[in-house]
Amino acid sequence: MAKSSASKKSLVIVESPAKAKTINKYLGPDYEVKASMGHVRDLPSKGLNVDIEHDFEPTYDVMPGKKRTVTSLKAAAKKCDKLFLATDLDREGEAIAWHLAELLGVPERKTYRVIFNAITHSAIKRAFAEPGKLDMDKVMAQQARRILDRIVGYQISPLLWKKVTRGLSAGRVQSIAVKIIVEKEKEIRRFEPKEYWLIPAVFTTDIQNDYSRQWLDFIRTETEGDKPPTLAEQSKWLTEHHAFKAELCKIGDEEFKASDKESAERVFNALRDAEFKLADVETKQSVSRPSAPFITSTLQQAAANRLGFATKRTMRVAQQLYEGIDLGSMGSLGLITYMRTDSTHLSSEAVAEVRRYISTHLGPDYLPKEAKIYSAKKTAQQAHEAIRPTDVDLPPSEIKPFLTDEQYRLYDLIWRRFVACQMESARWDVTNLGIEAETSLGRCRYRTSGRVMVFDGFTKIWPVASAEQELPPMNAGQTLAAVDIRADQHFTKPPARFTEAGLVKALEKEGIGRPSTYAAIISTIQDRGYVEQREKKFFASDLGEVVTEKLSEYFPKIMDIAFTRYMEEQLDKIEEQHLDWLGVLKDFYGPFRENLETAQAEMKHAKAEVTPSEYECPQCGQQLVYRFGKNGRFLSCSTYPACTFACPCDQDGKMMEQKVSEHECPQCGKPMVHKNGRFGPFLGCSDYPECKTTLKLDKQGNVLPPKPPPEPTGVKCHKCKQGELVIRQGKKGPFMGCNRFPRCRTIVNIKKLDQLKQLQSEGQWPPQTPEQADELLGLKKAKETVKARK
């Protein structure tokens, strides 16, 4: 029977077209699915747009570029029977749903909220069978967070522009992330290495053969560029020669410690001709348990460590896997559950499916008697699930042809972690050995350990690297031959710098931000120039250190990790415990405003501050001081401007000698020296500031030829009426611009040159108005066509 003409479709709004495409096929013809393309309404970028005097009332506006989307959604909403808001299930998704409801004006009785943690047929049908209403606690929690971040960002950032340099920004969470890296940098600088000595040995049970020469030849590197054998290669050699490594631990009843060469050599000389026996052998079994299924932070860490993925890349690829991948005849299918979660909870259906898979494909030995349950943090939302594949019967190898390389690698990681988390533990036989020798200094004792896997358990799916050596069969009392004994000098190492995985782990441990924001935080602090990544490790820049010092001095609470953690907890309580969001904002803003007023009055400009150095000026003999400039910290004469000597310094403040190049200054003939600026390396005249000539360098360090001078055209500029159009060379080729640049920024396509000359010869150029110029050049019709399309 045909449908009544009066019947209307239900409108479903999701966030992305990919998600809309996948969901549309599950819902059928009675539903129209549209995408909001993310947020549609926000605080306008210009101005604070939060009325602090009137209960922090926010002013929202449709975001730039989203007016057409909103117009389309409004038109669809007018024709719909019901409105289903199916945005993501987190706080951000709830806020987007609320903004859509506010904009579209569909009556509340016809507006429903549907949430699902996986885009599969069963999950979608279940969600639409039991729709709910908007969670206003969650909306207010997100609004409070947005307002708080806007207040901090928009009131501190202008202060940094005035007191440090233009273009800077501050953030409630990003500034703490920078501080964590800066504090690590300071810790590394304060570190003083301490000398210590070890006396390792290599023993073998094969006392009939002397392997000493073979071992030394094996581990020796002939040149500085040669790499020694890897641990895996060494382990293989040792196993083949019934050998193992051990470390000296005791002399008599005292722990062995040596802090200088003399002490170490005294012990070494006593050991070199000693006879060694195996004093004791102790073997016990150890168990390695699988890790919990992924949450956002652990996925980011594992993808960084195992795949080399940046946090931002991990979240982008995970979003693709969640929203749906076209699997050919199977159609588009969401392959993983929602990727922004802090819960390790797994649904009973998912656990039952993976246990069946383990039993069928891996065997009953790998299936525990009972399902494994993983505890989560107190703040975790148990209504959410961990990140897992939506269908465990879609192993990565079967759908690889439909995935890009990065999609396949991330899906493989998620699938394996999920299966492994419900498998039996791995079991190992761990053997501890004690080796002893009587010497002139008393009884010396070595110790070592090794382990052998007796059951692989979950490692069959989730391989685990092990540095443990494999020991040969031995019995207490047997004699051992020393293959190698040496005295090795070592120095304590400074704390390691953060990698992306390490920074995510630190932020999570300190309760700073939330897993869904880590990627944005890490991206922002690099974009702002506060930190930089070198060899996958974070280094604080001079700018990052200066800004951190200024903010820590004048905004101690904002820069206090404990207070930031407390604010995160308060924001969570708005959602979970109905805490008054206005009260949270008021409690924060009072002290913050006082700090802001003090900072505005008392904070000194970074460029006006100097710090004494240990160096003397090579030109006048006075002390050099550290100053801060647009390119970071540098050394400058303390008598400036009487003496203008300045030179760069490295990250540790050490003077960097200027490297003289083979080039001469094209202006004055003096040597050109290597320098580094905000756009990278370049050559500058050694007579600076008397001569300010510079030469650009390419990526290989070769001098780039200077740009040709602008070529006159004889055509007058139609905008300023004073200048003349000249031909310049740009990245995309030649173009015409006014010779009064930057006062006049007129640009005209080079293809119009002949036409302009003709118009000028006929007395029609330059016209009186820009509109007349567009009409003469044929640009008016083009603009009207574009406008009509919009």
Side-chain angles (χ1 to χ4, degrees), residues 607-619:
K607 293 180 181 178
E609 295 180 324
V610 297
T611 306
S613 79
E614 61 187 59
Y615 301 105
E616 289 184 356
C617 178
Q619 290 185 4

Side-chain angles (χ1 to χ4, degrees), residues 17 123 211 219 261 559 739:
Y211 296 123
I219 63 171
K261 185 177 181 180
M559 297 300 287
N739 63 358

Side-chain angles (χ1 to χ4, degrees), residues 654-754:
K654 294 179 181 178
M655 180 188 289
M656 296 172 64
E657 294 184 9
Q658 289 189 332
K659 183 181 176 184
V660 179
S661 76
E662 59 188 11
H663 302 280
E664 291 183 350
C665 177
Q667 298 296 326
C668 68
K670 292 187 177 179
M672 300 291 282
V673 295
H674 288 271
K675 296 190 174 185
N676 199 39
R678 56 178 171 169
F679 300 114
F682 68 97
L683 295 181
C685 182
S686 56
D687 196 30
Y688 179 86
E690 299 303 323
C691 178
K692 298 182 179 179
T693 304
T694 61
L695 295 176
K696 292 182 178 180
L697 301 174
D698 62 17
K699 292 181 179 179
Q700 286 72 41
N702 302 313
V703 175
L704 291 168
K707 282 187 178 181
E711 180 185 340
T713 65
V715 178
K716 291 183 179 180
C717 177
H718 62 285
K719 286 191 179 178
C720 69
K721 305 291 193 300
Q722 299 176 34
E724 177 186 306
L725 296 181
V726 293
I727 299 174
R728 301 181 189 275
Q729 294 296 323
K731 290 182 179 180
K732 298 181 179 180
F735 67 95
M736 288 190 291
C738 183
N739 63 358
R740 294 182 69 243
F741 178 86
R743 291 186 179 181
C744 178
R745 297 177 178 267
T746 303
I747 292 177
V748 182
N749 193 314
I750 190 72
K751 294 178 181 178
K752 301 289 183 180
L753 179 57
D754 292 338

